[in-house]
């Protein structure tokens, strides 16, 4: 494209990961001039979603560039520390069907075929060719995420009005691996009572615990340095209940500190009942939509976007970032923000690396068949030294795979390698060889395709002190189930750049924007402001009125109580008096009797 | 105000400078050229039109400038009911880029989306692409064809009205991509519980 970039910006952002994209939106939103570039042709970096063919084209890329200028003030972007590693994928179905597949068959026909085939209950119909043909229907996340219905991230989507760029589906069920079975995790009051595997006594225990978590301060007094597991065990919960609460509701591990465990459990419980039966939402068409939603907002507010840019490097001056070189253009900016994979190696202090093990499967049916298509979250607890694993199973309705197959994501902290880390789970839940298929094993889903890789968890990476003060680095994907950490991180960087500006104030709806003569617009604005103020005032008054009503109610209540008490007292007194009188009378009578006896 | 029966999402694509923003503004506000600063913060424009006594709300999305460096977000195409591909009849390069745009559309938009090819700026004297060339291209790729001038307001109303009518026809015969069949609007403030199998919109 023969367009030139402007020569100067307020902030240049390199990389379109989630945190970079949130920052991009936040900066554009408050009127900063933003240039946002990515060397990839797609949005999201390691947070992106890919179709089937595209994800198989990803490489264990080595992208370190050597600075070709001898100037020590010119640094090349990128390092080789945060690449995706151990990529290994494979089709577990025959490469080609024996059935004739006419070349000019168009998509619709394929779709129809699938429908028919599934009605025949013939599971072997998926072959490599057909999967590739429907490649476009897949949106496969490198880093699948869920969102707590009342987490910081969802609140930000709503408060900033970014929610309008994407659609969500709620997770419809949560399962956990317990006693060699997949079991539904009871997470709400009704779940607890509907669960037949939980005894009545356990139900009572669980409800009591869930209620008591609200009184966190008191509960955790003696658990400052203890784990949440110890806390739960001390509560004398049965082992099943400890399992539900520890690995399920609090999404914790054996080592999670008590306070953290309680906070996580509370976040889970607070998010219940907002959008569905579980606390979680999934963004339709994959998690890769999330960075794009923020980028769209950034563009709407003037941010300039360019993908597929051959980024070269940047120049320092006086130990500060000065300018960026891209396509032989030199562009100045006050701040530089980049994803950690774009940071020159010299600024990375720690050499130790944590990895996230990933496995992605395409299967022919759900792990737990159900009439309606489910969006399933599975907590697979630690087992024989294997890490805690999160599994997300997505169906057609999420827009991430074609009809009649499921997309399964496994996520865990890497221990040895993705294959080894998940082997025990794959063996238990799926069938992955022709051999096994032949054994009439019809219960479990068949794996049609598998993909393994390791993704760097760069969230604990330390940077050197000589990193210029106007350069900000965003870590890559983390192990968290949600984006709340990314929001916190983005906010922190934003506040460092612009301490006095608001972070993502609500973007106006199209109906609210009045376009035309500037004067008229100004006037309209003022009127709107005034109207707003009046509304605010009205609200306040309503609030006050409410409070007064409340107070009045309270007073009435108190008075009623008092009146009641008085009445009761009076009654009591009356009774007492009657008794007294009676007693007196009796006494008198007895006295009289005595008298008579005498 | 909200008494419309149908809401359709219409998106515009095409090279920068072909007049997409002008077409939208001309149709929704009757303005040309649109004020410069006014573009900031505008996501999509809305106009309600009437088709055979029915109120139809058109939600018209502009690219937010992301076409300049080929970086339109995929979600821009998602849930679109109609797609207007625009070139400038006085600029050969904008016509030559159409196949690239078609590839992108194939990749991200539904195959059922209504597609319209628009040659804009017919008021200009320096035409480079004859009308029949544009028409043939459109025919070859299963698109409607229309030539417009945002400047002179030629065919602009007709373009959007035709889209509204066509989409209505499709909606009646249920041939439309059904995006909203089980989506629900969720108001972030009132927090309702919905059928869990539903797709949610946070607002
Ligand atoms: C953006 C979009 C959103 C949709 N949302 C819904 C919905 O909420 N409810 C519903 O019942 N139907 C939905 N559909 C399906 C729609 O009603 C048609 O069935 C579909 O467009 C048929 O066209 P196609 O098979 O030629 O799709 P294609 O043109 O082959 O698909 C275009 C793109 O849309 C995706 N897609 C296609 N169908 C669906 C789907 N059902 N769900 C999610 N992604 C899909 C594909 O992965 C692909 O990326 C959606 C379709 C699209 C394109
Ligand atoms: N002569 C003429 N110029 C037009 C017409 N439509 C747009 N333009 C001009 O073309 C330039 C680009 O228009 P714009 O709407 O911003 O294009 P966009 O980048 O596709 O949104 C502006 O200078 C407009 O004034 C038209 O119909 N006729
Ligand atoms: Mg424009």
């Amino acid at each position: 494209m023969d367009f030139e970039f402007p020569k100067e910006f307020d902030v240049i952002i390199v990389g379109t990961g989630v945190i970079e994209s949130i920052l991009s939106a936040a900066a554009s939103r408050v009127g900063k001039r933003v240039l946002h570039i990515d060397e990839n042709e797609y949005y999201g970096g390691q947070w992106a979603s890919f179709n089937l063919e595209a994800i198989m084209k990803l490489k264990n890329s080595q992208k370190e560039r050597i600075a070709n200028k001898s100037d020590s003030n010119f640094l090349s972007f990128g390092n080789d520390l945060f690449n995706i590693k151990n990529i290994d994928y494979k089709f577990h179905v025959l490469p080609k069907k024996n059935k004739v597949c006419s070349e000019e068959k168009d998509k619709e026909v394929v779709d129809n075929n699938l429908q028919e085939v599934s009605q025949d209950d013939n599971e072997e119909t998926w072959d490599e060719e057909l999967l590739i043909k429907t490649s476009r229907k897949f949106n496969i996340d490198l880093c699948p995420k869920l969102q707590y219905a009342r987490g910081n991230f969802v609140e930000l989507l709503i408060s900033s009005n970014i929610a309008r760029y994407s659609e969500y589906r709620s997770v419809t069920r949560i399962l956990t691996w317990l006693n060699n079975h997949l079991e539904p995790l009871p997470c709400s009051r009704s779940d607890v009572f509907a669960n037949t595997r939980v005894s009545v006594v356990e139900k009572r225990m669980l409800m009591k615990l869930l209620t008591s978590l609200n009184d966190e301060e008191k509960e955790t007094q003696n658990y400052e340095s203890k784990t949440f597991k110890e806390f739960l065990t001390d509560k004398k919960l049965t082992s099943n209940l400890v399992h539900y609460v520890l690995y399920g509701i609090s999404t914790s591990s054996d080592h999670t500190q008590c306070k953290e465990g309680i906070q996580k459990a509370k976040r889970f419980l607070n998010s219940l009942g907002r959008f569905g039966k579980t606390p979680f939402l999934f963004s339709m068409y994959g998690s890769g939509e999330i960075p794009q939603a923020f980028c769209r907002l950034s563009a709407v507010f003037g941010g300039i976007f360019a993908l597929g840019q051959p980024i070269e490097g940047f120049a320092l001056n006086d130990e500060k970032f000065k300018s960026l070189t891209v396509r032989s253009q030199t562009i100045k900016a006050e701040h530089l923000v980049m994803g950690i994979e774009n940071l020159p190696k010299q600024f990375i202090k720690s050499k130790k690396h944590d990895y996230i093990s990933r496995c992605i499967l395409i299967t022919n049916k759900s792990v737990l068949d159900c009439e309606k298509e489910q969006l399933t979250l599975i907590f697979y607890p630690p087992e024989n030294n294997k890490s805690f694993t999160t599994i997300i199973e997505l169906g057609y309705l999420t827009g991430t795979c074609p009809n009649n197959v499921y997309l399964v994501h496994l996520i865990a902290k890497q221990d040895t390698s993705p294959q080894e880390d998940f082997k025990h789970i794959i063996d238990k839940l799926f069938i992955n060889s022709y051999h096994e298929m032949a054994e009439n094993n019809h219960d479990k889903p068949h794996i049609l395709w598998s993909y393994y890789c390791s993704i760097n968890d760069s969230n604990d990476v330390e940077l050197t002190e000589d990193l210029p003060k106007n350069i900000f680095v965003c870590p890559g994907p983390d192990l968290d189930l949600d984006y709340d950490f990314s929001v916190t991180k983005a906010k922190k960087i934003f506040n460092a750049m612009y301490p006095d500006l608001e972070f993502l104030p609500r973007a106006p709806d199209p109906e609210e924007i009045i376009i035309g003569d500037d004067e008229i617009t100004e006037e309209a604005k003022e009127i709107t402001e005034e109207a707003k103020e009046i509304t605010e005032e009205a609200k306040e008054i309503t609030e006050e009125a409410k409070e007064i009503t409340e107070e009045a109610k309270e007073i009435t209540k108190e008075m009623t109580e008092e009146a009641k008490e008085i009445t009761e007292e009076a009654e009591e007194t009356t009774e007492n008096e009657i008794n007294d009188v009676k007693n007196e009378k009796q006494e008198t009578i007895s006295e009289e009797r005595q008298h008579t006896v005498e | 105000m909200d008494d419309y029966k149908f809401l359709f999402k219409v998106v515009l694509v095409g090279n920068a400078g072909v007049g997409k923003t002008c077409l939208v503004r001309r149709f929704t506000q009757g303005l040309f050229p649109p004020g410069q600063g006014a573009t900031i913060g505008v996501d999509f424009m809305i106009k309600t039109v009437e088709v055979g006594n029915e109120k139809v709300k058109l939600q018209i999305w502009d690219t937010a400038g992301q076409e300049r460096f080929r970086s339109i977000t995929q979600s821009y195409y998602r849930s679109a009911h109609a797609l207007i591909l625009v070139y400038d009849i006085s600029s050969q390069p904008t016509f030559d880029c159409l196949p690239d745009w078609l590839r992108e559309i194939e990749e991200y938009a539904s195959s059922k989306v209504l597609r319209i090819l628009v040659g804009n700026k017919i008021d200009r004297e320096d035409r480079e692409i004859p009308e029949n060339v544009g028409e043939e291209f459109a025919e070859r790729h299963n698109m409607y064809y229309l030539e417009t001038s945002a400047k002179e307001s030629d065919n602009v109303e007709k373009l959007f009205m035709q889209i509204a009518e066509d989409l209505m026809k499709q909606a009646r015969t249920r041939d439309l991509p059904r995006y909203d069949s089980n989506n629900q609007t969720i108001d972030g403030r009132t927090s309702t519980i919905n059928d869990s199998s539903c797709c949610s919109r946070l607002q």
Side-chain angles (χ1 to χ4, degrees):
Chain A
M1 229 133 290
D2 41 2
F3 290 94
E4 291 246 314
F5 293 117
K7 303 239 170 332
E8 199 181 337
F9 287 87
D10 292 317
V11 52
I12 295 173
I13 303 179
V14 181
T16 49
V18 167
I19 300 172
E20 297 93 300
S21 302
I22 296 176
L23 276 166
S24 177
S28 292
R29 181 68 188 86
V30 293
K32 298 296 168 189
R33 295 165 301 163
V34 176
L35 173 64
H36 200 157
I37 59 178
D38 196 320
E39 96 173 314
N40 296 317
E41 297 279 350
Y42 52 85
Y43 279 100
Q46 297 196 352
W47 309 76
S49 314
F50 300 89
N51 68 35
L52 185 57
E53 282 177 294
I55 199 168
M56 292 193 289
K57 283 190 193 129
L58 285 182
K59 301 230 163 60
N60 298 300
S61 59
Q62 303 295 323
K63 70 167 176 187
E64 191 173 19
R65 279 165 296 263
I66 313 293
N68 48 6
K69 300 190 185 173
S70 51
D71 187 351
S72 70
N73 270 331
F74 188 85
L75 306 174
S76 294
F77 277 112
N79 59 72
D80 57 357
L81 300 173
F82 304 106
N83 294 326
I84 301 174
K85 291 199 170 68
N86 303 326
I87 295 179
D88 180 22
Y89 58 84
K90 174 163 130 197
F91 284 93
H92 299 243
V93 285
L94 300 170
K96 208 178 155 101
K97 231 172 357 180
N98 341 356
K99 222 176 102 182
V100 252
C101 246
S102 81
E103 283 306 309
E104 65 267 39
K105 194 190 310 191
D106 74 21
K107 209 167 11 25
E108 256 86 343
V109 181
V110 175
D111 271 0
N112 289 342
N113 270 2
L114 295 188
Q115 234 89 48
E116 279 167 27
V117 159
S118 75
Q119 278 158 12
D120 291 352
D121 193 43
N122 184 348
E123 274 139 10
E124 254 99 305
T125 45
W126 282 99
D127 61 17
E128 193 174 324
E129 191 185 38
L130 194 52
L131 284 171
I132 292 287
K133 217 162 194 169
T134 50
S135 165
R136 227 164 49 79
K137 301 224 168 206
F138 287 98
N139 282 304
I140 305 174
D141 293 334
L142 279 181
C143 178
K145 292 274 183 190
L146 298 176
Q147 292 133 42
Y148 281 92
R150 273 181 225 281
N152 293 339
F153 184 76
V154 168
E155 296 302 348
L156 177 66
L157 285 179
I158 294 169
S159 68
S160 63
N161 220 347
I162 290 173
R164 65 175 170 222
Y165 299 122
S166 32
E167 289 165 65
Y168 302 86
R169 274 190 176 268
S170 44
V171 170
T172 56
R173 62 179 178 187
I174 303 178
L175 307 176
T176 178
W177 183 258
L178 176 61
N179 305 328
N180 235 15
H181 286 288
L182 279 179
E183 284 190 16
L185 175 81
C187 47
S188 67
R189 188 177 250 279
S190 55
D191 276 2
V192 171
F193 285 100
N195 193 310
T196 51
R197 298 202 195 241
V198 182
S199 75
V200 177
V201 178
E202 282 180 318
K203 276 176 189 167
R204 239 177 257 145
M205 278 170 141
L206 189 56
M207 283 315 299
K208 206 172 135 201
L209 178 82
L210 297 185
T211 318
S212 76
L213 289 182
N214 282 323
D215 207 356
E216 182 187 331
E217 296 288 309
K218 204 175 104 209
E219 289 288 328
T220 54
Q221 252 168 26
N222 302 318
Y223 288 87
E224 286 300 328
S225 57
K226 291 192 183 163
T227 64
F228 190 42
K229 190 173 187 177
E230 285 172 295
F231 170 80
L232 294 174
T233 317
D234 287 356
K235 287 258 162 194
K236 305 229 160 42
L237 298 186
T238 62
S239 64
N240 281 3
L241 290 187
V242 171
H243 179 110
Y244 288 146
V245 177
L246 187 64
Y247 305 128
I249 291 170
S250 76
T251 58
S252 293
S253 72
D254 292 353
H255 312 293
T256 306
Q257 289 296 300
C258 182
K259 204 167 170 109
E260 190 192 342
I262 291 191
Q263 268 157 11
K264 287 171 109 179
K266 276 170 79 174
R267 182 167 59 156
F268 182 104
L269 296 169
N270 282 340
S271 286
L272 280 168
R274 186 175 200 180
F275 299 127
K277 274 190 252 170
T278 74
F280 300 105
L281 294 174
F282 176 77
S283 61
M284 273 196 84
Y285 310 107
S287 304
E289 294 288 299
I290 296 297
Q292 294 187 49
F294 284 89
C295 287
R296 164 88 190 173
L297 186 90
S298 178
V300 166
F301 281 90
I304 293 184
F305 281 78
L307 298 178
Q309 295 302 309
I311 45 169
E312 282 173 46
F314 56 94
L316 300 182
N317 186 17
D318 229 1
E319 289 170 23
K320 281 184 87 181
F321 163 76
K322 193 181 101 203
S323 65
L324 168 100
T325 305
V326 54
R327 297 191 304 168
S328 58
Q329 244 193 292
T330 300
I331 305 165
K332 284 188 191 164
E334 210 174 310
H335 299 291
L336 174 68
V337 174
M338 65 178 113
I340 197 162
E341 72 280 7
N342 293 308
L343 188 66
K345 205 173 186 169
Q346 69 197 74
F347 295 120
I348 294 160
K349 200 189 213 162
S350 50
K351 293 283 176 258
K352 185 187 148 282
H353 284 293
D354 289 328
Y355 281 92
I356 300 169
S357 271
R358 289 282 289 110
C359 167
I360 305 161
L361 307 171
I362 299 173
T363 65
N364 68 336
K365 66 174 177 185
S366 171
V367 283
L368 200 65
D369 252 341
C370 188
E371 221 171 284
K372 254 193 188 169
E373 181 182 309
Q374 301 282 330
L375 203 174
T376 313
L377 169 65
I378 303 169
F379 294 122
Y380 201 103
E383 200 176 79
N384 304 330
N385 294 326
K386 299 287 187 190
S387 312
F388 179 93
T389 299
T390 305
I391 306 173
I392 302 171
E393 187 191 66
L394 306 167
Y396 171 70
L397 293 175
T398 62
T400 60
C401 62
N403 211 348
N404 297 321
V405 297
Y406 282 84
L407 193 60
V408 185
H409 289 282
L410 289 85
I411 310 138
K413 189 174 165 52
Q414 182 164 312
D415 188 21
T416 52
S417 74
Q419 266 97 342
E420 283 183 40
D421 288 348
F422 296 129
K423 187 172 183 309
H424 64 298
I425 300 176
I426 304 283
D427 286 347
K428 282 192 181 111
L429 297 181
F430 304 98
I431 295 170
N432 65 1
S433 70
Y434 306 115
H435 182 65
E436 277 180 87
M437 288 180 201
E439 285 173 1
N440 249 338
N441 218 332
H442 279 303
D443 291 352
K444 298 192 209 168
H446 292 175
I447 297 174
L448 308 174
W449 175 84
S450 65
Y451 186 100
Y452 290 91
C453 69
S454 307
I455 291 173
N456 209 293
D457 183 348
S458 51
N459 286 273
D460 292 328
V461 171
E462 274 183 70
L463 305 178
T464 61
E465 258 98 66
D466 61 343
L467 179 74
K469 294 286 170 284
N470 60 344
I471 294 184
F472 299 91
V473 180
C474 307
D478 52 49
L479 257 176
D480 288 359
L481 201 51
D482 62 310
Y483 291 109
D484 287 6
F485 176 78
S486 302
V487 174
T488 309
K489 184 80 196 175
K491 241 185 212 166
K492 215 167 134 192
I493 295 177
F494 181 84
N495 286 334
M497 289 197 292
Y498 308 115
D500 302 324
L501 295 177
E502 195 182 346
F503 180 75
L504 283 170
R506 181 174 171 280
D509 284 318
E511 289 90 342
E512 296 164 7
I513 301 174
I514 302 148
I515 299 155
D517 217 16
D518 279 353
E519 250 169 64
I520 298 177
T521 317
E522 275 312 306
E523 231 171 83
K525 245 188 211 159
E526 266 166 46
I527 294 174
T528 318
E529 277 307 309
E530 248 169 68
K532 242 188 215 162
E533 264 166 48
I534 294 172
T535 319
E536 278 306 309
E537 248 168 67
K539 240 189 216 162
E540 263 167 49
I541 293 172
T542 319
E543 279 304 310
E544 247 169 69
K546 239 189 216 164
E547 264 168 47
I548 293 173
T549 320
E550 279 306 309
E551 241 169 75
K553 256 190 207 159
E554 282 288 297
I555 293 173
T556 319
K557 213 168 153 196
E558 264 170 44
M559 278 166 85
T560 320
E561 298 263 314
E562 236 169 81
K564 228 192 217 164
E565 263 170 48
I566 293 173
T567 320
E568 268 169 37
E569 236 172 75
E571 266 169 22
E572 248 173 66
T573 332
T574 323
E575 231 169 85
N576 285 350
E577 267 167 26
I578 292 174
N579 283 349
D580 281 353
V581 175
K582 266 189 198 159
N583 285 349
E584 253 171 56
K585 248 190 198 160
Q586 232 151 23
E587 265 168 44
T588 326
I589 294 170
S590 17
E591 261 175 43
E592 271 171 19
R593 283 220 186 108
Q594 269 179 7
H595 282 292
T596 29
V597 174
E598 274 174 24
Chain B
M1 210 172 89
D2 266 339
D3 60 345
Y4 61 92
K5 222 172 173 173
F6 294 89
L7 186 142
F8 298 123
K9 175 176 171 182
V10 180
V11 305
L12 284 95
V13 290
N15 280 19
V18 297
K20 299 181 294 298
T21 305
C22 286
L23 284 168
V24 178
R25 292 303 165 80
R26 167 59 82 184
F27 175 62
T28 54
Q29 297 164 327
L31 296 174
F32 184 92
Q36 260 309 309
T39 331
I40 297 294
V42 180
D43 215 338
F44 48 81
M45 308 288 295
I46 285 179
K47 184 159 173 171
T48 308
V49 297
E50 229 168 272
V51 177
N53 289 334
E54 297 266 33
K55 283 218 169 100
V56 178
K57 200 164 172 176
L58 293 179
Q59 192 187 65
I60 307 164
W61 290 63
D62 200 351
T63 54
Q66 287 180 317
E67 78 279 23
R68 240 174 311 167
F69 302 99
R70 273 303 156 83
S71 42
I72 293 185
T73 52
Q74 296 165 24
S75 41
Y76 179 70
Y77 295 101
R78 296 205 195 283
S79 324
H81 296 97
L83 200 147
I84 306 176
L85 177 52
V86 189
Y87 70 93
D88 173 353
I89 56 118
S90 67
S91 158
Q92 185 71 39
T94 66
F95 184 79
D96 294 341
C97 273
L98 293 182
D100 291 344
W101 284 111
L102 282 180
R103 226 167 295 135
E104 178 148 335
I105 292 165
E106 283 299 320
E107 175 108 17
Y108 302 123
S110 163
S111 55
K112 287 188 186 149
V113 70
L114 178 68
R115 291 157 209 225
I116 303 96
L117 181 65
V118 167
N120 188 36
K121 307 199 189 181
I122 47 171
D123 56 279
R124 290 186 63 138
E125 308 281 308
D126 52 348
R127 182 191 274 272
E128 288 187 3
I129 295 102
E131 188 166 4
N132 68 315
V133 174
E135 205 168 353
E136 274 164 30
F137 185 92
E139 215 164 281
R140 222 172 326 127
H141 293 94
N142 268 324
M143 299 195 278
Y144 289 92
Y145 183 69
L146 207 62
E147 290 200 342
T148 59
S149 165
K151 190 177 175 196
E152 303 296 331
S153 199
D154 271 350
N155 276 345
V156 178
E157 191 80 13
K158 185 173 167 194
L159 168 67
F160 288 98
M161 285 310 291
Q162 206 141 50
I163 289 173
E165 281 166 25
D166 248 75
L167 289 174
M168 278 290 282
K169 226 183 284 163
Q170 286 186 30
R172 291 223 173 84
T173 57
R174 307 206 162 274
D175 202 19
L176 198 69
R178 286 190 318 275
Y179 303 118
D180 304 339
S181 54
N182 55 11
N183 293 10
Q184 288 210 357
T185 308
I186 290 179
D187 188 316
R189 281 148 296 194
T190 46
S191 313
T192 37
I193 305 173
N194 288 285
D195 183 339
S196 51
S197 68
C198 280
C199 168
S200 317
R201 247 178 219 284
L202 314 168
Q203 267 169 13

